[in-house]
Every structure is written in structure tokens, then in C-alpha cells.
Amino acid sequence: MTTDYDKETSEHLLNLRNLTVNDYDDLKHVMDTLYPDMGGAWPKDKFLAQLQVFPEGQICIEDHGKVVAAAFSLVVDYDKFGDQHTYDEISGNAYLTTHDPSGDVLYGIEVVVLPDYQGMRLGRRLYEARKELCRNLNLKSIVAGGRIPNYQNYANTMSPQQYIEQVRKRLIFDPILTFQLSNDFEVKRVLKDYLPEDQESKGYATLLEWTNLYYEKKQSPLFGAVKTHARIGCVQWQMRRLKSVEELIQQVEFFIDALSDYQCDLALLPEFFNAPLMGLEDHKTSLDAIKALALFSDEIIENISKLAVSYNINIIAGSLPVIKEGQLYNVSYLCRRDGTMETQFKIHPTPHEKRAWIMQGGDQVQVFDTDFGKIGILICYDVEFPELSRLQNEKGMQMLLVPFWTDTKNAYLRVRCCAQARAIENECYVVIAGSVGNLPKVESADIQYAQSAVFSPSDFSFPHDAIMAESTPNTEMTIIVDLDLTKLEKLRYEGSVQNYVDRRRDLYQINWLKKS
């Protein structure tokens, strides 16, 4: 909040706000000043990660435009960590990889005030702002691990518990604990090795909690709640000669009807499942054929969207050729059962698609919200580029859907092996669906090879070979599998290996360069 004093005549002009990327130099000065013996300021990439993950939780006080105090926090599902945890475990080494928007506790990871401003109650202002945030987010409490820097003077004569009790009785002053107790926080327990590098506190910390008296327990809605399990139906599609778009839609409806009867949440069709329509008439070149195929795409998608609504099932309509502003693209459509629709363009056309069809690549990779979780779509060749799924993973993707179209076994194995790798490295499920059969006299679509499958991460909670289900090769059929999304959350923090948490964000990162 800005004071009423005129900027030119007042000694201070304080303003409470959220931190921005431009504040790093000021923050670095504050932290370097406060923590010369503990490594000083966070590296800039860690600060940027905090702003990206939970910008609302990173707040500061500026004086005449210069940051002089700041507080950092995240939201966690506290039961996943419990009272016995370290700073790095619960904060993701301050990268906030443990942030959970659906969590129940606001966890404070840092409060800093420049020494020249430490008599102005700026810490209290930051704590009050945190309390307001906690109430506005309807979180149960604020929890934090607090240093006890003055303990170094008493470590030889009393235990941490005795020291805390003396501070509580105001017989001993501790610059951090005394402040926290005066701001309505209560000590829950003593943490050992919370911050091993904190020599002043001898590695100990207090686990403190402030309870939100206005917290209202969130009630699960009677209808429409996001599911913790998803039933996925995968169509291994037979390429057959067709006489019309109506005949294609009739074949699609057959599978959608069947998967809906089994109460599937989502149906996945293969890449270019509409390719048989290229055989409706003769074309001089394969470019003419794919452009003619693109003319059917609007009609096909309109009909599939209606099927999604009428059969109450989300449908990923494989992919279709689309002409946009005179350019040809390969586009996958997510047709939700509520009637909404979104698209994912293929980012990497194959050499054949670029050479024979003059096909262009898209410039955005997305994660989509559904009524059973967050999903990503990568079309065939795209799954062979791990950067794309990593970007989706950073946005919370739980399931990756890959419609593909391959002609030979070696081409199929490229897709399969890369899909399995994406499941392991991103700790998510990956579903692949392809087409089988032959299309004589249809150029670029004469032979197919596929074995559709559903892959999981590789750990004890999942199948021993990390394959949830797979089809018979080169046979038209469906596979249906139930996916437990709660296992992915458990794996992230309790798995034999923890690829997401252990990622060295201090050394490397992936940035999307295209400005949307």
C-alpha cells in the first residue's frame, strides 16, 4: 500500500505488490546482504521458476521503486509431506516443483528484509499479506520452517526444545522465532537437518503454523467433479476403401458407440484416419490428393463433435489435413463431450510430408483441461522430440495422446520406443493409436503397420513392463484401459526414482521461443 506522503518530500514511499521478473537485481542485493555465509541469493533461474509456478505467492515491499523486503510461498497438499520434512523436500529445492494448486496449505519458504529496514515492521506487513492470501485461497493454514539463529549462543547449555520454550516465555530473544510467535504462529515441533547449511541454527528449525479461522472445507460436487481415474478407449483403425464421407462417419460412430457403451472417458483415433477418402477420385499428384482430402475436414470434425456430445465421450479425432491461409497443416482435434473443441497442430511434419505435401508445422504446444485431468496431444513424429512433452509436462500434463500413422515396423518402433521414453521421463501415461490394412491405388497410404498401446511410468505401482495394454499387431480392434491418475502424484514424491523432482533446474531448462 502506498503512503499518502508526496514522493519528493517523504523519506519513504512503500508499496506492497507481487514480485516481477525485473525485481531480481534488487532481490539479489537483499539476499546477498542477509546470507553471505549461506550462499547469498538464489540463482535467477530459480527466482524465475517461482514466478512462473505461483506468481500470486511471491510478494514484496518496494521503497521508491526499489525492493527492500520480500516473502515467498507455495501451496502444497500437506499430507504428502507431513511434519517430518526438509526445506528442499517441501519446496522442490526452492524451484516450487511441489506446488499443488489443489493443495490445502500455504507454505512459506522465505521472508527477507534489508537490514536498514528491519525496524519498520515490514515483516509484519508481509505476514499479513500472506494471511490475506491464505484466506482468499481458502487454505487451511500457513505452515513454515523457521530458523532459530540465536540458538548458536545457547547450543552448549540447552536443547532446541528448551531454547524454544525460553523464547516462548520471552526469557530469550530470537530475531526470527520471537517475531513469528508475535504474529500468531504456533510451534508444532522441532525439525532436525531442515537446513543443514544453517550453522547459526545448528541445522534445527521450528515448524510453525498459523490457522485460518475462516477456512471452509471444500465439498466435493455431487456432479462434474474432476475424476481421479480415467477409462481410455483406443481405436486401431482399419484402412478400407470408402465411397463417401457419410460412410467414414458411420465407421467412426460404430467405434464411438462401442467405447461409450463401456463408459470410456475418451476415445483416441489414429493420425489421418480419413485417408481412404483420397481414393474417392483419381488425382494427378499426391499433393492434389491431400488437398482434396483437406476439403472434407470441416464436415468430418463437425460430425465427430456431435458424436462426442450425443455419446457423452471425449474424442481425439486423430488428425486431419487442414488448409489455413493457403498453407497445409496436420491438425488434431479434441472434441469434448460438453461440445467445446480445441486443436493441436503437428509441430514437425515428416520429410515426406514436407516434400510431397508441402506441409507446414504448427507453432504452439498445449495442455488441455478435461473432466478427467490434463492431457497433451502430439501427432506421430512429434513424440520423437522429447522437448515438446517436457514443455507439456511442466504445464501439468498427466496423459499424452499420440495418434500415429506408420507404414513399416521400423517406423512404428520409432514411435513406440519414443512414446515409452516419454512416459518414463515425464512420469505420465502415454496412449498411441495407429491404423492398419492396405489401401491399393491410394498414393502414400498403400500399406500400414501398427500396434496400438498404453504405456505407464516404470515403477512398482505400475505393470512390470510399463505396458498397461497393447493391441494385436495389424488387426482392427479397440483396447480399453483404466488409468489411475493418483498413482502419478504418488510416484512424483515417493517413486524409486523421481524424474520430475530431481530435474536439475539449476543447470538446464527448455524455453519455448515462439511468442504467442
Side-chain angles (χ1 to χ4, degrees):
M1 181 179 294
T2 306
T3 64
D4 294 329
Y5 297 106
D6 182 81
K7 183 174 182 179
E8 296 182 356
T9 59
S10 64
E11 179 182 358
H12 298 292
L13 185 63
L14 302 178
N15 180 44
L16 176 70
R17 61 171 174 81
N18 285 110
L19 283 157
T20 70
V21 295
N22 296 323
D23 293 323
Y24 179 72
D25 289 342
D26 288 348
L27 178 67
K28 185 177 187 305
H29 171 67
V30 176
M31 297 186 77
D32 284 343
T33 302
L34 291 173
Y35 302 133
D37 299 326
M38 293 177 60
W42 288 317
K44 189 172 183 179
D45 67 310
K46 189 172 292 190
F47 173 66
L48 296 178
Q50 294 162 353
L51 297 188
Q52 181 180 11
V53 171
F54 185 40
E56 301 88 347
Q58 322 317 322
I59 55 180
C60 71
I61 296 174
E62 63 178 6
D63 185 15
H64 290 293
K66 183 176 181 179
V67 173
V68 296
F72 300 81
S73 59
L74 70 157
V75 178
V76 297
D77 182 346
Y78 195 73
D79 288 341
K80 292 179 180 176
F81 300 94
D83 290 342
Q84 290 283 11
H85 57 261
T86 67
Y87 178 88
D88 285 347
E89 287 172 345
I90 201 162
S91 71
N93 192 22
Y95 281 96
L96 308 196
T97 56
T98 51
H99 175 70
D100 183 353
S102 61
D104 58 354
V105 165
L106 186 69
Y107 196 94
I109 64 167
E110 186 62 272
V111 174
V112 292
V113 179
L114 201 62
D116 291 346
Y117 290 79
Q118 287 182 2
M120 298 174 59
R121 297 176 179 255
L122 300 191
R124 183 179 293 274
R125 294 196 193 192
L126 293 171
Y127 269 52
E128 290 302 318
R130 266 189 186 164
K131 292 175 183 178
E132 183 179 3
L133 178 63
C134 181
R135 287 189 288 261
N136 289 340
L137 294 177
N138 189 35
L139 300 174
K140 187 163 52 177
S141 62
I142 302 174
V143 176
R147 299 175 59 234
I148 45 176
N150 207 23
Y151 179 59
Q152 62 181 329
N153 299 320
Y154 298 87
N156 294 330
T157 60
M158 62 180 68
S159 68
Q161 291 83 356
Q162 292 171 325
Y163 174 80
I164 292 168
E165 187 59 29
Q166 293 292 302
V167 175
R168 194 200 309 269
K169 293 179 179 179
R170 300 188 178 182
L171 299 175
I172 294 176
F173 173 80
D174 186 277
I176 293 178
L177 180 56
T178 299
F179 167 76
Q180 291 167 327
L181 293 174
S182 67
N183 278 275
D184 305 321
F185 278 77
E186 296 184 359
V187 178
K188 297 182 66 177
R189 65 177 300 118
V190 175
L191 297 174
K192 188 177 181 180
D193 295 325
Y194 181 74
L195 270 173
E197 64 271 27
D198 181 9
Q199 295 301 312
E200 291 181 330
S201 306
K202 304 301 180 183
Y204 291 102
T206 55
L207 184 64
L208 301 119
E209 182 174 32
W210 173 84
T211 302
N212 177 14
L213 299 178
Y214 299 97
Y215 171 71
E216 296 183 4
K217 188 174 181 179
K218 300 167 187 175
Q219 300 293 325
S220 298
L222 297 178
F223 304 100
V226 174
K227 300 181 178 183
T228 58
H229 292 70
R231 178 167 292 178
I232 305 301
C234 190
V235 179
Q236 188 155 285
W237 177 266
Q238 174 79 38
M239 291 290 194
R240 52 171 59 82
R241 295 192 67 84
L242 298 172
K243 297 178 181 179
S244 65
V245 173
E246 291 75 16
E247 193 174 349
L248 174 80
I249 296 302
Q250 185 180 42
Q251 189 67 21
V252 171
E253 184 171 9
F254 166 79
F255 285 110
I256 298 304
D257 186 7
L259 295 176
S260 176
D261 281 347
Y262 285 99
Q263 298 182 321
C264 288
D265 295 293
L266 181 138
L268 174 63
L269 296 170
E271 179 184 23
F272 287 145
F273 66 95
N274 63 333
L277 296 178
M278 286 193 287
L280 292 182
E281 56 185 86
D282 293 330
H283 301 282
K284 292 183 179 180
T285 66
S286 60
L287 179 59
D288 291 336
I290 197 70
K291 286 185 174 181
L293 184 64
L295 299 178
F296 299 118
S297 294
D298 286 346
E299 181 181 356
I300 292 170
I301 286 303
E302 181 181 354
N303 279 278
I304 290 179
S305 181
K306 291 178 180 178
L307 294 177
V309 174
S310 60
Y311 285 98
N312 189 30
I313 183 173
N314 301 289
I315 303 172
I316 294 180
S319 77
L320 303 163
V322 172
I323 297 175
K324 181 180 179 182
E325 297 178 354
Q327 300 291 334
L328 186 66
Y329 296 90
N330 187 353
V331 184
S332 182
Y333 288 81
L334 167 61
C335 301
R336 295 190 183 90
R337 50 184 156 198
D338 64 3
T340 59
M341 186 188 307
E342 295 195 70
T343 58
Q344 175 63 62
F345 283 58
K346 190 172 186 177
I347 305 298
H348 302 93
T350 63
H352 170 80
E353 289 171 333
K354 288 187 289 186
R355 182 178 61 253
W357 294 342
I358 322 299
M359 187 165 281
Q360 307 299 310
D363 60 8
Q364 292 186 16
V365 63
Q366 304 184 74
V367 169
F368 305 106
D369 290 312
T370 70
D371 50 17
F372 57 85
K374 290 182 176 293
I375 68 170
I377 303 171
L378 293 179
I379 303 172
C380 197
Y381 192 33
D382 280 346
V383 80
E384 299 176 31
F385 296 84
E387 298 87 351
L388 299 182
S389 58
R390 176 59 52 84
L391 289 165
Q392 292 170 315
N393 176 247
E394 294 287 357
K395 296 178 182 179
M397 177 184 69
Q398 299 165 289
M399 190 183 309
L400 176 61
L401 290 305
V402 183
F404 72 91
W405 185 23
T406 53
D407 52 356
T408 61
K409 187 171 183 179
N410 62 312
Y412 162 73
L413 287 175
R414 288 196 297 268
V415 172
R416 180 188 177 100
C417 293
C418 290
Q420 288 184 285
R422 304 298 85 87
I424 292 171
E425 67 199 16
N426 294 303
E427 298 175 338
C428 67
Y429 296 108
V430 179
V431 186
I432 65 173
S435 55
V436 301
N438 304 315
L439 277 177
K441 298 183 180 181
V442 177
E443 188 176 353
S444 302
D446 43 1
I447 60 173
Q448 333 288 321
Y449 185 99
Q451 184 180 20
S452 302
V454 181
F455 305 118
S456 72
S458 185
D459 214 313
F460 295 114
S461 298
F462 304 95
H464 71 93
D465 55 2
I467 301 173
M468 301 291 294
E470 58 186 342
S471 67
T472 303
N474 291 337
T475 301
E476 184 172 51
M477 61 181 295
T478 62
I479 53 176
I480 298 173
V481 62
D482 287 331
L483 303 180
D484 185 347
L485 302 177
T486 63
K487 288 184 177 181
L488 300 179
E489 282 295 312
K490 186 175 182 180
L491 174 71
R492 177 169 290 188
Y493 304 112
E494 300 178 19
S496 302
V497 294
Q498 299 168 16
N499 297 69
Y500 183 84
V501 173
D502 291 338
R503 200 170 294 158
R504 288 293 302 274
R505 291 167 175 82
D506 58 323
L507 297 179
Y508 57 86
Q509 59 183 329
I510 297 174
N511 296 316
W512 190 256
L513 301 179
K514 173 70 177 181
K515 302 299 182 183
S516 57

